[in-house]
Amino acid sequence: MATNRLKIIAISGSLRDGSTNHAILNFIKTLCPDTIEYVIYNRLRNIPPFDPGLDNDNPPDEVVDLRQLLTMAGAVLICTPEYAFGVPGSLKNALDWLVSSSTLVDKPVALITASSVGHNAHASLLLTLGALSANVVEGAALCIPYIRSKMDNDGNVTDKETEEHITACFNALLTSIS
Ligand SMILES: Cc1cc2nc3c(=O)[nH]c(=O)nc-3n(C[C@H](O)[C@H](O)[C@H](O)COP(=O)(O)O)c2cc1C
């Protein structure tokens, strides 16, 4: 059901069943006040490979949907692993489709990179978000290494410090839109 509440769109860069990044997004949902609608976008796999030739007045439906969803959002939260020292292809692909639409210009964004190491993807995503003129909120960019050792098999964050860092990161995003 559509509501008039402010929306946060949360995107996981992992398509994997049992993803730790998806579990972090679920954990953050428990921190979100009722006054805000928290929507986890899980259709990255449906977005076609970026083709500048199709990025015209009539782009693919999934791209139109993603752009609309993000345009309506008060803020965006990205939580992603690193693959092969870089950004997961499906996430980068989606961001490439946003360049021409100005969808993320000045949009408050939080970025969490939760991976084995993750620094390269984190730095690369900050560059990409800069290219999109997104407003990466101060205090809302967090890189969490060794993520698998900080969560249990049920997707709970078991490391207290990590839980605190995630909470502070999300609170910074909330403050930016309050
Ligand atoms: C093909 C592949 C490549 C990976 N490369 C990296 C890497 O370069 N750096 C890193 O920190 N982790 C790397 N990882 C580990 C994942 O980031 C890690 O397993 C993470 O927990 C996956 O996130 P998820 O649980 O949300 O799916 C790689 C994993 C796979 C499957």
Side-chain angles (χ1 to χ4, degrees):
M1 192 175 69
T3 72
N4 290 326
R5 282 182 299 165
L6 200 60
K7 248 190 203 125
I8 292 179
I9 302 298
I11 301 174
S12 167
S14 173
L15 305 180
R16 189 174 72 83
D17 275 351
S19 155
T20 50
N21 282 275
H22 205 101
I24 290 170
L25 292 184
N26 284 334
F27 166 64
I28 292 174
K29 186 172 188 176
T30 67
L31 307 175
C32 193
D34 288 344
T35 47
I36 290 179
E37 190 181 356
Y38 183 90
V39 178
I40 297 181
Y41 174 85
N42 57 14
R43 303 202 303 272
L44 276 189
R45 68 173 73 246
N46 298 338
I47 297 183
F50 177 63
D51 176 350
L54 298 179
D55 194 6
N56 49 34
D57 290 344
N58 190 22
D61 289 348
E62 277 293 337
V63 173
V64 174
D65 286 352
L66 175 65
R67 288 176 178 171
Q68 271 174 0
L69 205 57
L70 295 176
T71 299
M72 299 296 287
V76 176
L77 166 62
I78 296 171
C79 190
T80 184
E82 171 176 291
Y83 292 147
F85 297 154
V87 178
S90 56
L91 176 60
K92 178 63 165 60
N93 179 53
L95 295 175
D96 287 344
W97 278 109
L98 302 181
V99 174
S100 68
S101 66
S102 306
T103 307
L104 289 189
V105 172
D106 293 334
K107 186 77 69 182
V109 173
L111 172 64
I112 298 175
T113 308
S115 205
S116 304
V117 183
H119 295 124
N120 293 297
H122 197 67
S124 177
L125 270 166
L126 288 173
L127 279 176
T128 300
L129 290 167
L132 293 167
S133 299
N135 168 21
V136 180
V137 172
E138 196 176 337
L142 174 64
C143 186
I144 311 171
Y146 312 115
I147 186 60
R148 300 269 182 123
S149 68
K150 295 168 178 172
M151 302 189 75
D152 66 21
N153 289 336
D154 296 324
N156 301 303
V157 181
T158 49
D159 180 65
K160 200 76 202 147
E161 202 179 347
T162 300
E163 185 180 325
E164 285 167 8
H165 288 159
I166 293 170
T167 303
C169 175
F170 186 60
N171 282 341
L173 186 68
L174 288 178
T175 301
S176 77
I177 55 173
S178 63

